[in-house]
Amino acid sequence: MTAISHAAPQDAALPKVKVDVLPLLLVPLLALLMLPLVGSFPTWVTLTVAGLAMGMMVFMMASGLTLIFGLMDVLNFGHGAFVSVGAFTATLALLPMKSWVEADSVLMNLSVLGLAILLAMLVTGILGWAFERIIIRPVYGLHLKQILITMGGMIVAEQLIHVIWGAEQIPLQLPTTFRGAFIFGDAALEKYRLIAVGVGLTVFVTMFLVLNRTKVGLLIRAGVENGEMVEALGYRIRRLFVGVFMAGSALAGLGGVMWGLYKETLTAAIGGEITVLVFIVIIIGGLGSVGGCFIGAMLVALVANYAGFLAPKVALVSDILLMVMVLLWRPQGLYPVAKR
Amino acid sequence: MSEALLQLADVHTHIAQYHILQGVDLTVPKGGITVLLGRNGAGKTTTLRTIMGLWHASRGSVRFEGGDITHSPTPDIASAGIAYVPESMGIFSDLTVRENLFLAARSVKSADQMDEARLEWIFGFFGALKKFWNQPAGTLSGGQKQMVAIARAIVEPRKLILIDEPTKGLAPAIIQGMIAAFRELKQTETILLVEQNFSFVAALGDSVAVMDGGRIVHSGSMAELAADKDLQHRLLGLSLDTHQ
């Protein structure tokens, strides 16, 4: 057997793996830069934890959307519908089980929250399957039609929420033991924000492990880069996409539950309102990149929190300004995904 | 001639308003290397993509082992035993060499389950892959990426391998290595090889088909074509003297 070692020598040096660390440093750098501007360390800690918690919730909502775009080039402007439906579905567990919500028991509170999340993810996952089949499938490859029909889908979903749950705002009560804050010196860390950080980190680590350690995850990453080649290897990319769409919708549903409890009030527009922020996050991160989406979500939320404290008027446009600055630096986003 | 593995009969393929394949008749016998030659734009890549179901024939039939695959989806064609190495190589640059091969090994659920003996057989051709096993494929050189692309096609036994211009953009030293590798490969595999580098395929091919204007204008044995400079000049606009 002939080894073609002369073509690629065995003793050739290993090519250097470039690790792009700059975007990774942005979040800690931003936080450190803001410390002298905020002035008070306890206030800075509170703002930073609040920003991270918000960022985690936005990441939950945005991570599925970025994969959906990356894998099948689908612009889903109806993604917010799953956030709304998730939040409202949670009320089916949280309102009837009010005694569990009001109980002064961590176990009962966690159980009812877990049930609400499970129910919301199940419903939004199934809804995602139907949404892909009925709304997305006819418009593959047609971006303008995708934008129009998915926005239409979101309007229909909002109106259906009005029909089912009524047009009034629904107050959503945080479980008893999740209320209040831990006090460290002068810094107050809201318990629910810490829970949101924990849930967000769990989602991120799970996604990281699935995308890097499982065959399905590798296929998703490969499909984001070159879907045609994945098909040529014998895998049905459409089936993979339906799975990703359902998972992305379920994650949006999870984000909706967490966001709804964070706001403590539900309206049908809760998903639509956050959609712009979600799109800013996935554009900043680089369309199709889960890692970029995570950093983008943290940046957007931290900037919004710091700006809200330091210059409330600037906070109104801080997300857009951040996006402009990032795109001037890296026009394809922080971690652009190589496409064929 | 051995039995036909793949048969294209009067295949027409349209891409948008363009009529690219205009009645391709091609037979690929089982075993060895069949070379598809032709000038730029003759329809060679379109022929491979049509076989693979990446573009569907608008007329005619593609039969593989006697079964009609003309309108089969690409994953079904791949599952039937046809592997494809595109001109762009189609490697997943974000994944390691190991992960690239693992995805091509459809029968295993984890990378550790890949057939070690077969991997060693592949490393026999492409020794560099062993060294770069855990490197992201995007960091490799062009020649090494081509090795990954071909290794992916043979990581599990396949009945037919379609390879599109494997020497494109590669240095002469690497092309010599490729020739050695293909000589070994053709002992066990059936390959349909698209190339423009005549000197490369003249040393390798068993049978040959020449395309022009979306049709097969010549088919026969490679030995005959390699020996007939007039025929080469007439069909390809070149001679071995100018191309070697």
Side-chain angles (χ1 to χ4, degrees):
Chain A
M1 193 162 289
T2 315
I4 54 170
S5 53
H6 58 283
Q10 287 281 325
D11 57 353
L14 283 176
K16 282 186 181 170
V17 181
K18 287 181 192 165
V19 181
D20 188 5
V21 292
L22 272 180
L24 290 173
L25 296 174
L26 283 180
V27 174
L29 273 178
L30 173 72
L32 287 174
L33 276 173
M34 287 299 137
L35 180 55
L37 292 175
V38 171
S40 152
F41 182 70
T43 308
W44 175 81
V45 170
T46 304
L47 285 172
T48 304
V49 171
L52 291 177
M54 182 184 163
M56 292 292 178
M57 286 183 272
V58 174
F59 168 70
M60 289 175 218
M61 296 180 251
S63 54
L65 186 61
T66 200
L67 276 181
I68 287 165
F69 179 83
L71 195 61
M72 289 304 268
D73 210 16
V74 167
L75 288 167
N76 180 15
F77 275 67
H79 196 68
F82 302 109
V83 174
S84 299
V85 171
F88 274 86
T89 304
T91 64
L92 298 176
L94 294 172
L95 297 183
M97 296 176 75
K98 203 172 178 183
S99 59
W100 286 52
V101 173
E102 290 177 344
D104 193 13
S105 157
V106 175
L107 188 66
M108 287 175 88
N109 289 171
L110 274 177
S111 300
V112 75
L113 178 63
L115 186 68
I117 286 173
L118 201 68
L119 192 65
M121 291 182 77
L122 192 70
V123 168
T124 47
I126 293 169
L127 190 69
W129 174 80
F131 197 85
E132 191 278 336
R133 205 168 181 82
I134 298 165
I135 293 182
I136 304 285
R137 200 167 287 189
V139 292
Y140 274 126
L142 307 166
H143 279 156
L144 185 60
K145 286 185 178 176
Q146 285 167 9
I147 292 169
L148 291 174
I149 200 165
T150 54
M151 283 183 88
M154 190 162 80
I155 293 167
V156 170
E158 281 184 8
Q159 295 311 308
L160 284 175
I161 287 171
H162 283 310
V163 170
I164 298 167
W165 281 279
E168 299 299 315
Q169 287 188 355
I170 297 178
L172 208 57
Q173 195 178 345
L174 263 181
T176 304
T177 57
F178 301 165
R179 288 180 223 153
F182 295 113
I183 307 294
F184 295 98
D186 290 331
L189 303 182
E190 280 188 36
K191 291 177 187 173
Y192 184 69
R193 286 175 175 166
L194 294 176
I195 291 170
V197 171
V199 174
L201 278 177
T202 305
V203 169
F204 178 68
V205 171
T206 306
M207 283 186 86
F208 180 84
L209 291 176
V210 168
L211 288 173
N212 289 282
R213 302 283 164 84
T214 68
K215 192 161 196 173
V216 169
L218 293 176
L219 281 171
I220 292 169
R221 285 169 61 203
V224 167
E225 186 175 339
N226 190 341
E228 186 179 275
M229 197 62 222
V230 170
E231 290 229 300
L233 290 180
Y235 302 96
R236 292 180 182 278
I237 195 117
R238 281 280 164 90
R239 204 173 284 172
L240 196 64
F241 176 59
V242 172
V244 169
F245 201 96
M246 289 177 71
S249 305
L251 281 172
L254 166 64
V257 179
M258 300 300 291
W259 189 243
L261 282 166
Y262 183 66
K263 298 194 78 153
E264 298 191 61
T265 307
L266 290 188
T267 66
I270 188 172
E273 287 163 4
I274 199 88
T275 297
V276 175
L277 199 63
V278 164
F279 268 92
I280 288 173
V281 163
I282 66 170
I283 290 168
I284 285 177
L287 292 162
S289 162
V290 173
C293 174
F294 185 76
I295 294 172
M298 297 306 124
L299 283 176
V300 162
L302 282 173
V303 166
N305 271 270
Y306 292 135
F309 177 78
L310 293 168
K313 284 185 180 171
V314 177
L316 296 171
V317 292
S318 64
D319 304 326
I320 302 288
L321 285 176
L322 177 68
M323 182 170 72
V324 169
M325 286 164 69
V326 169
L327 294 184
L328 282 173
W329 176 41
R330 292 193 172 186
Q332 303 293 317
L334 294 175
Y335 284 115
V337 173
K339 302 283 276 185
R340 67 184 155 82
Chain B
M1 180 156 303
S2 58
E3 63 178 295
L5 182 65
L6 179 81
Q7 276 184 309
L8 280 72
D10 191 31
V11 169
H12 292 251
T13 300
H14 289 78
I15 301 167
Q17 71 270 38
Y18 301 107
H19 189 179
I20 309 292
L21 299 190
Q22 301 181 11
V24 171
D25 294 294
L26 174 69
T27 299
V28 177
K30 198 169 182 177
I33 296 180
T34 299
V35 178
L36 196 53
L37 288 169
R39 297 182 178 94
N40 269 340
K44 307 182 296 296
T45 295
T46 305
T47 301
L48 293 196
R49 290 179 65 85
T50 302
I51 295 167
M52 208 59 211
L54 295 166
W55 288 327
H56 284 295
S58 46
R59 216 167 82 200
S61 72
V62 182
R63 302 185 77 81
F64 179 63
E65 291 188 308
D68 190 350
I69 59 165
T70 316
H71 300 292
S72 298
T74 301
D76 289 357
I77 293 169
S79 299
I82 303 181
Y84 176 50
V85 181
E87 189 180 344
S88 62
M89 296 181 263
I91 63 151
F92 306 120
S93 55
D94 193 31
L95 306 188
T96 63
V97 172
R98 175 176 179 264
E99 289 166 341
N100 266 274
L101 267 63
F102 169 45
L103 290 189
R106 287 194 300 268
S107 66
V108 299
K109 289 200 167 76
S110 97
D112 297 333
Q113 293 171 342
M114 281 192 284
D115 184 343
E116 276 189 36
R118 189 147 182 113
L119 288 178
E120 286 301 326
W121 176 67
I122 291 170
F123 295 148
F125 304 132
F126 307 129
L129 297 187
K130 195 169 192 174
K131 185 177 177 69
F132 300 136
W133 194 230
N134 288 310
Q135 286 287 120
T139 62
L140 305 182
S141 70
Q144 290 157 352
K145 283 178 184 168
Q146 189 61 266
M147 292 176 202
V148 175
I150 295 170
R152 211 168 46 180
I154 58 173
V155 70
E156 284 187 336
R158 304 278 182 250
K159 293 168 184 166
L160 173 65
I161 305 167
L162 314 177
I163 307 181
D164 198 353
E165 298 207 36
T167 64
K168 193 174 180 184
L170 299 188
I174 296 177
I175 292 174
Q176 287 307 310
M178 284 279 171
I179 289 174
F182 276 94
R183 276 212 180 100
E184 294 287 339
L185 272 177
K186 76 175 197 173
Q187 306 303 318
T188 52
E189 315 289 325
T190 304
I191 298 171
L192 175 57
L193 180 63
V194 162
E195 253 302 338
Q196 293 215 49
N197 182 342
F198 188 77
S199 57
F200 174 70
V201 290
L204 285 170
D206 299 297
S207 55
V208 63
V210 181
M211 289 192 79
D212 194 21
R215 291 189 185 89
I216 301 291
V217 293
H218 170 86
S219 55
S221 82
M222 178 54 89
E224 278 174 15
L225 182 62
D228 190 338
K229 290 187 180 176
D230 287 341
L231 190 60
Q232 289 167 32
H233 187 74
R234 185 156 50 84
L235 293 171
L236 303 167
L238 55 80
S239 70
L240 275 174
D241 293 337
T242 57
H243 212 76
Q244 274 175 333

